[in-house]
Amino acid sequence: MHILLPPSEKKATEGDGPPVDLASLSFPGLTPVRERLLAALSDVSRRADAPNVLKLPAGQAEEALARNRALREAATLPVAQLYTGVLYDNLDLAGLDATSAAEQVIVFSGLWGALRLTDRVPPYRLAMAVSLPSAGRLGALWRPAMRAALRFDGGGLIIDMRSGPYASVWKAPRPAVAVRVFRERVAGGETRRTVVSHMAKATRGRVAHDLLKAGAAPRTPDELLKAVADLGHTAELNGTNLDVILHD
């Protein structure tokens, strides 16, 4: 089982380890793109229009740009401690077996491409939807590199919990199931389902936590559905999607 996650805008503020060593990161085939983006992000973060280029909220721009300018020298921390926010709060990595989680979780990133939980990187700010002046659109840079570097031959079911921009840079090979979250309400005698955002992140985090905590090892979509149901979630398979249903 492999669980694919998006990053989070919310991150730890600082690390306590040595500066980033690109050669030590997982998926070494991504190193050339990582090198290029580190240079491009450092350059653009020194420009007057950097907040607009990087699509940074006004109240967060100064701190984010300072971090981006210091990426080569900044202290690092493990990916398991880097990302915070709703999904990662509910994933609760501290409550899981660290070795098992590190073997099964992959986090996608606009700057680093894809990372394991044990990889050490500094806090940064770069969303996948950004286009950097000297490098172009991140998705276009990452797609060919991802296709070459990420291979899971005979490696079991892939459970894709990424958001759209991160899912677009690498299509998970079959067997793969994308996790969607819906809220179900009954109004006027009619059952309706709606897409949720905040609760979708929380739910994906909880489902991932529960699967990892239980030591689940589904190899097919049907086995995943059974595992998720056994863990107390309401879900159904719709094609290549696992739809988790929330009720009021």
Side-chain angles (χ1 to χ4, degrees), residues 87-96 205 209:
L87 187 153
Y88 288 88
D89 287 345
N90 284 272
L91 178 59
D92 184 23
L93 287 168
L96 298 173
H209 174 92

Side-chain angles (χ1 to χ4, degrees), residues 2 34 49 56 63 93 119 123 153 159 174 193 200 227 242:
H2 303 282
R34 289 166 174 158
D49 62 348
L56 299 173
E63 182 180 5
L93 287 168
D119 289 325
D153 299 331
I159 303 170
R174 294 185 178 183
R193 288 181 180 175
L242 178 78

Side-chain angles (χ1 to χ4, degrees), residues 11-87:
K11 300 178 181 69
T13 56
E14 59 184 12
D16 58 3
V20 64
D21 174 13
L22 294 184
S24 73
L25 300 181
S26 301
F27 311 110
L30 302 178
T31 299
V33 179
R34 289 166 174 158
E35 288 274 13
R36 182 176 179 183
L37 289 180
L38 274 173
L41 182 57
S42 176
D43 288 344
V44 76
S45 295
R46 289 173 167 78
R47 292 172 38 156
D49 62 348
N52 290 332
V53 174
L54 299 177
K55 302 179 182 179
L56 299 173
Q60 302 173 21
E62 183 176 352
E63 182 180 5
L65 294 175
R67 290 181 185 172
N68 286 349
R69 290 191 293 266
L71 284 171
R72 289 285 190 179
E73 301 80 29
T76 59
L77 71 168
V79 170
Q81 299 172 21
L82 174 64
Y83 297 108
T84 60
V86 175
L87 187 153

Side-chain angles (χ1 to χ4, degrees), residues 24-229:
S24 73
L25 300 181
S26 301
F27 311 110
L30 302 178
T31 299
V33 179
R34 289 166 174 158
E35 288 274 13
R36 182 176 179 183
L37 289 180
L38 274 173
L41 182 57
S42 176
D43 288 344
V44 76
S45 295
R46 289 173 167 78
R47 292 172 38 156
D49 62 348
N52 290 332
V53 174
L54 299 177
K55 302 179 182 179
L56 299 173
Q60 302 173 21
E62 183 176 352
E63 182 180 5
L65 294 175
R67 290 181 185 172
N68 286 349
R69 290 191 293 266
L71 284 171
R72 289 285 190 179
E73 301 80 29
T76 59
L77 71 168
V79 170
Q81 299 172 21
L82 174 64
Y83 297 108
T84 60
V86 175
L87 187 153
Y88 288 88
D89 287 345
N90 284 272
L91 178 59
D92 184 23
L93 287 168
L96 298 173
D97 179 80
T99 300
S100 178
E103 291 173 349
Q104 296 179 87
V105 174
I106 300 170
V107 181
F108 282 68
S109 160
L111 178 57
W112 312 107
L115 296 166
R116 296 283 187 182
L117 295 177
T118 50
D119 289 325
R120 299 187 68 98
V121 295
Y124 67 97
R125 190 67 176 268
L126 181 63
M128 187 64 79
V130 164
S131 179
L132 295 177
S134 61
R137 297 199 65 82
L138 301 192
L141 285 172
W142 281 124
R143 285 185 193 102
M146 293 280 195
R147 283 196 297 269
L150 273 63
R151 298 186 181 277
F152 300 95
D153 299 331
L157 185 68
I158 294 175
I159 303 170
D160 194 347
M161 298 187 176
R162 296 172 296 171
S163 50
Y166 296 92
S168 71
V169 300
W170 185 71
K171 183 177 180 180
R174 294 185 178 183
V177 177
V179 177
R180 305 187 302 185
V181 182
F182 296 91
R183 182 176 298 283
E184 186 173 275
R185 290 187 174 97
V186 177
E190 183 178 349
T191 300
R192 298 179 180 178
R193 288 181 180 175
T194 56
V195 177
V196 293
S197 54
H198 178 86
M199 284 306 298
K201 295 177 182 179
T203 300
R204 289 188 180 106
R206 283 198 294 270
V207 170
H209 174 92
D210 291 347
L211 289 169
L212 291 164
K213 186 77 171 180
R219 299 192 65 83
T220 68
D222 286 328
E223 289 181 6
L224 174 63
L225 176 62
K226 183 179 186 304
V228 168

